[in-house]
Every structure is written in C-alpha cells, then in structure tokens.
Amino acid sequence: GHLVAQLVSSGPADPSPITVVFSPALPLGASTSVAVDRTPGDVHATVHGTLRDRLTLDVPYAGGWSIVPPAMPAQIGQRSRAPRVLSERLRDGQYVATLEGIAGRTYRFRVREPGKPWRETDVAFPAAGANADGYTTRTLTLGRQ
C-alpha cells in the first residue's frame, strides 16, 4: 500500500516555500523504505518536502496488522455506542488489540494480517463489569499461537 499526501498552495502568486513533514501511522509490523519511528504499539514513517505550488509526499509500505471497528456514527443528542480500539501491540510474534464495546454486545471488526486480505471477525464483549458508560474491555490476540 501507499499513504499519500497531495498538497496545493492557494495563497499569493509568489508564496514563500513551506517545509512539510508527513508522518502517517503505519500498520503494526509493516515494512517501508523510508525512515520510521517504532514503539511496541506504534509505527510512524516520516518523509519531508517543500511546498511551493504543489507537493506529493508518498509513504510506501507492505504488510502489517490492522483492526478497524464498525462505523457507527452517533445519533444527534445520543451518546456513542460504537466500539473502540484502545491499544495495539506486537508481543512475542502475536498481534494483541485491546478493545472496548458496550457490555453484552457483539460487533463485527475488520482485521488484516500481514500478507492476507481483510477479513471480518465477531468480537463479543463481557456482559458484566461495565464502566460508567456501559462499556467493557476485551483483548483480542491473533497470529502465532
């Protein structure tokens, strides 16, 4: 995949150049040909450029783990009922995601493992032990078992 930033200057006819730093988050475990900052739960690739009229910054990458919760926009005047991804880690060759959802509910998350297409997986949240907002946590561990 690629993460691309396309920028266009729409200011004065002779604008001053602007130094741009593009540092998107990559999927955990992804590889790239550009400089990266890695922590156990975060990978950011960084490219630089100077914007005059137009600038395209490209971060190529391959592989990596990703998890995406279902899109559940909150209704006007209502609290969100959407699940959340609290953290992601790579631990001993396994992908570990800490998730939060409404107690007793099951949600369908999209997951991508390195070298595989996206798939869907159902995640059920415990009915007991909810916080003040009605959410409980669940840890999802994938990969080498």
Side-chain angles (χ1 to χ4, degrees):
H2 287 263
L3 294 169
V4 178
Q6 295 182 331
L7 305 153
V8 177
S9 177
S10 61
D14 188 21
S16 298
I18 299 170
T19 300
V20 177
V21 177
F22 181 48
S23 187
L26 299 180
L28 287 180
S31 60
T32 183
S33 58
V34 301
V36 295
D37 293 319
R38 292 182 192 273
T39 67
D42 191 51
V43 178
H44 278 262
T46 303
V47 293
H48 304 265
T50 301
L51 174 63
R52 290 181 176 78
D53 295 323
R54 294 181 180 279
L55 175 65
T56 299
L57 296 171
D58 181 28
V59 175
Y61 71 93
W65 289 90
S66 294
I67 188 164
V68 178
M72 297 179 65
Q75 301 298 314
I76 294 174
Q78 299 295 314
R79 297 182 76 142
S80 173
R81 310 292 288 165
R84 305 166 184 147
V85 178
L86 299 181
S87 70
E88 301 171 279
R89 297 280 184 265
L90 288 177
R91 190 177 303 139
D92 299 326
Q94 294 181 308
Y95 173 77
V96 180
T98 303
L99 311 171
E100 189 175 62
I102 297 293
R105 287 213 40 198
T106 298
Y107 299 91
R108 182 160 287 172
F109 285 76
R110 291 180 62 224
V111 176
R112 187 176 62 197
E113 299 179 45
K116 295 184 180 177
W118 286 96
R119 67 179 172 88
E120 295 184 342
T121 188
D122 289 335
V123 179
F125 288 85
N131 64 18
D133 290 326
Y135 281 80
T136 56
T137 59
R138 170 87 193 271
T139 300
L140 184 66
T141 302
L142 302 169
R144 185 182 58 190
Q145 304 270 341

